[in-house]
């Protein structure tokens, strides 16, 4: 063994390239480069030359620009907080889950609300019959909040709440429930998401127009800064952007641009930047692009420090970016679902290597249904094993000094900064969102990604490669939506019967007046919730002044086809694609018009990535495509489908309302004279529900991972069959 370094012969980079090119495709070393969806080139080899001119590579954690972590000691002293995001049907069931998770090692509570609550409707509202308790916990009043946190000491347990649209009554209800538990506002710790801008781009659980919504954000930041010193007033979220299709650079840029907008909004209320900025936090999605995710988180801290210096922030807490992370839900597959345990573990490690402050790990069955107790325990133990068994926590920022990671971090920062500059040129994120520009950028990225998967260019193990011939049955959690709603209505009736109706009406009137004339809306919401106003009533009082937002519906065109056509390495998929286009063209010639489909979202499910991607791909194949507005009732959807003379209605569902809403749309089509219109369904649908839906009259079910051309061919065949009959 050599005893001195100089006994080794160090080759030149040119010598390495010559040796490596012998095995490179076509003998070209450039063929080994990876061009990421963000436009960043990742090389197969990095050397000291790649980092020689980069700034900040010799910085330390806990110091500006915080690239290596916001705290000096990071996990070596205190690991990240394990925080499992959950909400199941009723407050009682969710409370039982939280208490068991806390006993099993979780260190905080993270609440998922149902879509009726998100959209500011009480459970007895006619528009939410299929949504109550299905994708989270139903909360209508302080009484529900008290049950949700029963025997959970809120002075010690940090609570995170993913809430944006109905943020005022929900946060107010939490504050009042804590008070009645004997916990003051000054003792409360946790985070309210309160990130409304991203809702207009991707998740769509908004209620009021953008300007009014930003007013609410500012009031919450101002109130919490003065009354809740341990509570984070906003969690600026990129998570739902990546889940909707954004690549890492786009997620990073739009999230930080949102952050800039919220800082400007808070300053406009009269606050000094250092009075509130230390309690802003961020929320990232962590997907399967391992290196890019680590680089994204390191770059985020670097850029946020730069942004906050632009606001003349002085406090270190104002300059450092702190974040919660969640492993990707979109990367989970229905096919061969136990593979998802591996995916979540890899994503969790990327979050840890990136320096997260808290983490939620998804359960392996979430592409099928809400997680079971069994799958949730595996998700929780994934974090415990990383924390307790691997010794990963013993080293602060282990990627520091890596030629590749340092270069990739700066490349990611540069790519995101260019997008931030585009946003600034448009006048800021509120205008970028209001114009629809930001949303279309994400939808284009989503369509491109889906085309790469459907063509086989991007591999998903078990979905488009190494597929099983048969799938094992997986136990899935099923929520009895009817029973949950009936229970919520009963509790609502009790609350309304026992309260001082006149006092509640006066409090709601004061809230409506303040919305139009000034006054802190969170303070007034707390007063109303103390008197037992409901979530829906507070939301309605604000709607009287603000109105309810109605989004324009657009679709991108040509992106899916362009990405599909760009891949020439899979001749069989291209042959299939071209044959299907020819078949659709032949249908149009024979029928005198193209096959026409309407892509719909029913109920309060605003997750429209799948709907928009399907609409884009079907249009690129040659279908005429209509997109129904979000939040339709079955009656409204049927009416539009008949008026537009469509051949088929496609229902996209991700929120478990399909057993209620899909039979309803079929019944409405028959009732209104549209018996010849077929209905197909796509999204997160447990296999155990397929027979139920087919019996209800559904003609096609396309679960996660179904290539869009395959579903399109089947829909075309179903349309032909109906016309032939």
């Amino acid at each position: 063994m050599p005893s001195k370094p100089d006994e080794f012969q160090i080759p030149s980079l040119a010598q390495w390239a010559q040796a490596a090119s012998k095995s490179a495709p076509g003998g070209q070393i450039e063929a080994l480069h990876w061009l990421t969806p963000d436009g960043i080139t990742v090389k197969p080899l990095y050397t000291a030359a790649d980092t020689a001119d980069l700034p900040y590579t010799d910085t330390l954690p806990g110091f500006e620009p915080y690239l290596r972590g916001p705290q000096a000691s990071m996990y070596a002293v205190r690991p990240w907080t394990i925080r499992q995001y959950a909400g199941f049907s009723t407050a009682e069931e969710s409370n039982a889950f939280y208490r068991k998770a806390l006993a099993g090692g979780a260190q905080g509570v993270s609440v998922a609300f149902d879509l009726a609550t998100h959209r500011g409707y009480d459970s007895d509202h006619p528009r939410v019959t299929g949504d109550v308790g299905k994708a989270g916990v139903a909360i209508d009043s302080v009484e529900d909040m008290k049950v949700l946190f029963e025997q959970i000491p809120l002075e010690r347990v940090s609570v995170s709440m993913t809430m944006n649209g109905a943020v005022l009554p929900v946060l107010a209800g939490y504050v009042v429930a804590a008070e009645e538990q004997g916990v003051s506002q000054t003792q409360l710790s946790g985070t309210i998401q309160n990130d409304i801008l991203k809702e207009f781009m991707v998740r769509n659980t908004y209620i009021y127009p953008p300007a009014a919504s930003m007013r609410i954000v500012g009031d919450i930041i101002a109130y919490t800064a003065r009354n809740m010193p341990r509570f984070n007033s906003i969690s600026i979220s990129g998570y739902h952007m990546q889940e909707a299709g954004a690549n890492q650079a786009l997620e990073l840029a739009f999230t930080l641009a949102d952050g800039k907008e919220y800082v400007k909004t808070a300053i406009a209320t009269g606050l000094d930047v250092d009075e509130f900025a230390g309690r802003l936090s961020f929320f990232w999605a962590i997907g399967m692009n391992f290196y890019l995710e680590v680089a994204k988180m390191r770059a985020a801290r670097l850029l946020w420090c730069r942004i906050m210096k632009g606001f003349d922030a002085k406090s270190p807490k104002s300059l450092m970016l702190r974040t919660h992370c969640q492993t990707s839900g979109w990367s989970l597959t229905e096919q061969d679902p136990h593979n998802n345990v591996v995916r979540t573990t890899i994503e969790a490690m990327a979050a840890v290597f990136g320096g997260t402050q808290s983490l939620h790990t998804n359960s392996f069955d979430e592409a099928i249904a809400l997680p079971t107790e069994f799958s949730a325990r595996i998700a929780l133990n994934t974090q415990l094993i990383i924390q307790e068994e691997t010794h990963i926590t013993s080293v602060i920022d282990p990627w520091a000094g890596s030629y590749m990671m340092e270069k990739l971090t700066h490349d990611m920062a540069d790519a995101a900064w260019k997008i931030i500059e585009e946003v600034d040129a448009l006048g800021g994120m509120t205008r970028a969102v209001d114009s629809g520009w930001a949303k279309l950028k994400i939808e284009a990225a989503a369509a491109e990604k889906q085309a790469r998967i459907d063509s086989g260019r991007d591999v998903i193990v078990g979905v488009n490669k190494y597929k099983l011939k048969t799938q094992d049955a997986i136990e899935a959690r099923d929520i009895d939506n009817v029973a949950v709603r009936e229970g919520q209505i009963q509790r609502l009736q009790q609350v309304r019967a026992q309260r001082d109706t006149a006092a509640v009406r006066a409090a709601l009137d004061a809230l409506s007046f303040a919305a139009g004339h000034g006054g802190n809306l969170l303070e007034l919401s707390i007063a109303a919730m103390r008197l037992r106003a409901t979530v829906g009533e507070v939301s309605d009082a604000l709607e009287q002044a603000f109105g309810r937002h109605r989004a324009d519906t657009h679709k991108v065109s040509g992106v899916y086809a362009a990405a599909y056509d760009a891949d020439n390495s899979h001749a069989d998929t291209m042959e299939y694609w071209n044959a299907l286009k020819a078949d659709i063209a032949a249908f149009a010639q024979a029928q005198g018009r193209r096959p026409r489909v309407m892509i719909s979202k029913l109920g309060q499910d605003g997750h429209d990535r799948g709907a928009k991607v399907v609409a884009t791909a079907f249009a690129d194949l040659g279908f005429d495509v209509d997109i129904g507005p979000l939040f339709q009732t079955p009656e409204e959807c049927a009416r539009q489908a008949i008026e537009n003379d469509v051949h088929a209605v496609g229902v996209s569902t991700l929120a478990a309302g399909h057993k209620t809403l899909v039979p309803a749309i079929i019944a409405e089509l028959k009732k209104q004279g549209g018996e010849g219109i077929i209905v197909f369904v796509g999204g997160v649908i447990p296999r155990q529900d397929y027979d139920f839906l087919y019996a209800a009259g559904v003609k096609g079910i396309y679960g996660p991972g179904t290539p869009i051309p395959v579903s399109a061919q089947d829909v075309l065949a179903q349309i032909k069959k109906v016309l032939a009959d």
Side-chain angles (χ1 to χ4, degrees):
M1 180 179 292
S3 59
K4 297 179 182 179
D6 58 9
E7 292 184 23
F8 290 103
Q9 289 187 343
I10 308 299
S12 67
L13 192 58
Q15 289 175 301
W16 170 84
Q18 183 179 16
S21 65
K22 294 178 181 178
S23 57
Q28 298 296 316
I29 201 66
E30 288 76 14
L32 300 177
H33 289 47
W34 170 39
L35 181 64
T36 75
D38 319 70
I40 297 170
T41 298
V42 179
K43 302 188 300 180
L45 179 70
Y46 288 81
T47 68
D50 291 294
T51 61
D53 298 325
L54 295 181
Y56 314 123
T57 56
D58 58 352
T59 60
L60 294 172
F63 294 89
E64 296 180 23
Y66 304 102
L67 185 149
R68 298 189 59 188
Q71 286 94 33
S73 56
M74 289 300 288
Y75 309 145
V77 170
R78 181 185 176 189
W80 65 93
T81 299
I82 298 174
R83 188 189 298 280
Q84 289 302 99
Y85 176 60
F88 303 121
S89 64
T90 64
E92 289 86 352
E93 282 197 56
S94 298
N95 173 263
F97 176 89
Y98 299 148
R99 286 163 58 190
K100 180 171 282 189
L102 289 167
Q107 295 140 358
V109 169
S110 189
V111 183
F113 298 94
D114 73 354
L115 289 168
T117 306
H118 273 288
R119 294 270 293 149
Y121 292 114
D122 286 333
S123 295
D124 58 356
H125 197 285
R127 296 195 75 88
V128 298
T129 54
D131 298 299
V132 177
K134 290 299 281 187
V137 60
I139 297 293
D140 292 315
S141 72
V142 169
E143 294 305 316
D144 291 330
M145 278 288 189
K146 289 170 67 176
V147 174
L148 187 66
F149 296 116
E150 186 177 358
Q151 296 184 46
I152 295 174
L154 295 178
E155 76 277 11
R156 297 201 305 271
V157 175
S158 171
V159 175
S160 172
M161 292 179 284
T162 301
M163 178 53 62
N164 303 283
V167 62
L168 285 170
V170 166
L171 180 54
Y174 163 70
V175 167
V176 175
E179 288 175 350
E180 296 184 10
Q181 195 186 89
V183 181
S184 69
Q185 295 181 29
T186 59
Q187 293 175 286
L188 294 174
S189 64
T191 305
I192 187 77
Q193 192 163 97
N194 193 28
D195 176 8
I196 199 63
L197 286 175
K198 71 102 169 52
E199 297 296 328
F200 293 108
M201 283 186 276
V202 291
R203 193 161 172 259
N204 300 308
T205 59
Y206 46 71
I207 301 175
Y208 316 109
S213 298
M214 291 298 286
R215 154 85 185 281
I216 292 170
V217 170
D219 280 6
I220 290 172
I221 293 173
Y223 183 91
T224 54
R226 290 164 181 155
N227 298 282
M228 302 170 68
R230 299 177 58 203
F231 198 82
N232 297 323
S233 55
I234 189 167
S235 175
I236 305 155
S237 174
Y239 183 87
H240 301 99
M241 296 181 199
Q242 187 178 136
E243 291 290 281
N247 56 47
Q248 281 76 16
L250 203 57
E251 176 197 5
L252 175 57
F254 282 176
T255 307
L256 295 183
D258 280 352
K260 286 181 67 175
E261 202 80 349
Y262 294 133
V263 171
K264 289 189 288 185
T265 299
I267 290 172
T269 69
L271 292 172
D272 178 82
V273 65
D274 287 320
E275 192 177 352
F276 67 88
R279 285 188 301 281
L280 304 181
S281 66
F282 288 78
F283 176 24
W284 304 117
I286 305 296
M288 286 298 288
N289 280 337
F290 184 85
Y291 295 138
L292 295 187
E293 295 293 5
V294 178
K296 178 186 75 181
M297 295 176 68
R298 299 174 90 244
R301 291 190 289 269
L302 172 66
L303 294 182
W304 187 245
C305 186
R306 180 190 300 175
I307 288 168
M308 293 310 293
K309 281 185 170 292
F311 286 107
D312 201 28
K314 301 292 194 303
S315 169
K317 289 186 177 180
S318 300
L319 299 172
M320 65 175 67
L321 181 148
R322 296 162 302 109
T323 191
H324 171 71
C325 290
Q326 180 175 338
T327 59
S328 175
W330 184 83
S331 71
L332 304 177
T333 64
E334 178 191 34
Q335 297 87 344
D336 206 358
H338 290 106
N339 290 343
N340 296 332
V341 177
V342 181
R343 292 186 178 101
T344 294
T345 302
I346 292 168
E347 291 167 350
M349 291 182 68
V352 170
F353 284 137
T356 190
Q357 278 60 69
S358 67
L359 178 62
H360 165 84
T361 33
N362 285 338
S363 301
F364 73 83
D365 51 358
E366 290 187 53
I368 301 168
L370 289 170
T372 62
E373 187 174 323
F374 171 72
S375 66
R377 189 176 78 249
I378 293 174
L380 174 61
N381 287 345
T382 299
Q383 293 197 55
L384 291 172
I385 290 167
I386 295 173
Q387 278 193 1
E388 304 285 351
E389 296 188 25
T390 64
H391 296 282
I392 284 174
T393 59
S394 300
V395 177
I396 302 167
D397 191 20
W399 286 93
S402 158
Y403 300 140
M404 179 275 297
M405 187 54 68
E406 297 291 7
K407 181 65 166 65
L408 195 54
T409 296
H410 284 80
D411 287 348
M412 179 65 69
D414 289 344
W417 194 253
K418 288 179 182 177
I419 299 170
I420 291 172
E421 289 177 330
E422 286 186 73
V423 172
D424 289 342
L426 290 170
M429 205 61 191
T430 300
R431 292 187 179 179
V433 167
D434 209 13
S435 70
W437 174 83
K439 186 176 182 69
L440 288 174
K441 292 275 283 187
I442 293 174
E443 289 175 359
E448 182 182 356
K449 174 65 176 177
Q450 190 62 49
R452 292 200 307 269
I453 293 170
D454 288 348
S455 69
R457 190 173 170 188
D458 285 3
V459 172
I460 309 293
V461 172
V463 174
N464 62 3
K465 197 173 184 179
Y466 312 114
K467 294 186 285 187
L468 294 176
K469 291 183 179 179
T470 60
Q471 298 285 337
D472 294 333
I474 297 291
E475 178 190 358
R477 183 187 291 269
D478 187 32
I479 302 296
D480 186 344
N481 163 244
V482 174
V484 174
R485 187 167 185 263
E486 288 175 351
Q488 288 300 119
I489 291 173
Q490 184 177 9
R491 188 176 287 164
L492 271 168
Q493 290 171 343
Q494 291 173 348
V495 166
R496 290 170 181 154
Q498 295 170 1
R499 68 190 185 181
D500 184 336
T501 302
V504 171
R505 185 69 264 161
L508 293 172
D509 288 344
L511 188 59
S512 294
F513 182 84
H517 298 87
N520 189 283
L521 298 178
L522 178 55
E523 182 176 359
L524 291 165
S525 296
I526 291 171
M529 296 296 284
R530 279 197 190 106
L531 295 167
R532 294 314 190 257
T534 67
V535 168
E537 289 166 344
V538 169
S539 299
D540 288 346
L542 294 164
E543 187 179 341
Q544 288 179 26
F546 294 148
R548 186 172 278 265
H549 181 66
R550 299 285 189 274
D552 294 329
T553 302
H554 303 284
K555 66 176 181 290
V556 296
S557 60
V559 174
Y560 184 95
Y564 213 100
D565 292 341
D567 180 32
N568 299 316
S569 61
H570 295 81
D572 54 340
T573 59
M574 287 306 303
E575 183 178 350
Y576 183 86
W577 171 261
N578 290 327
L580 180 55
K581 288 176 68 176
D583 199 11
I584 293 167
F587 175 98
Q589 185 172 10
Q591 297 292 327
R593 66 172 182 140
R594 297 192 291 180
R596 190 178 192 97
V597 300
M598 175 177 163
I599 306 299
S600 306
K601 296 289 295 184
L602 300 178
Q604 302 305 306
D605 176 13
H607 297 81
D608 62 350
R609 173 181 182 161
K612 290 296 185 67
V613 169
V614 168
T616 295
F618 271 52
D620 287 354
L621 278 164
F623 284 81
D624 277 333
V625 179
D626 300 315
I627 302 179
L630 289 171
F631 316 124
Q632 280 190 313
T633 64
E635 296 84 353
E636 292 164 345
C637 179
R639 188 181 311 119
Q640 183 181 353
I642 292 168
E643 288 174 353
N644 291 7
D645 193 23
V646 303
H647 294 102
V649 172
V651 178
S652 173
T653 175
L654 276 81
H658 50 273
K659 290 177 72 174
T660 301
L661 296 170
V662 173
I665 178 63
I666 294 171
E668 279 297 324
L669 285 169
K670 291 179 180 178
K671 179 180 176 182
Q672 297 183 34
E675 297 91 341
I677 298 174
I678 69 168
V679 174
F680 61 97
V681 186
V684 178
I685 306 165
R687 294 268 173 184
Q688 67 196 36
D689 293 347
Y690 279 27
D691 288 343
F692 172 88
L693 293 174
Y694 283 131
V698 169
K699 297 302 182 183
I701 302 173
Y702 314 110
T706 304
I708 293 178
V710 171
S711 64
Q713 184 179 50
D714 189 52
V715 169
L716 181 65
Q718 294 287 349
I719 292 172
K720 288 179 179 179
K721 183 177 179 182
V722 169
L723 292 174
D725 292 343

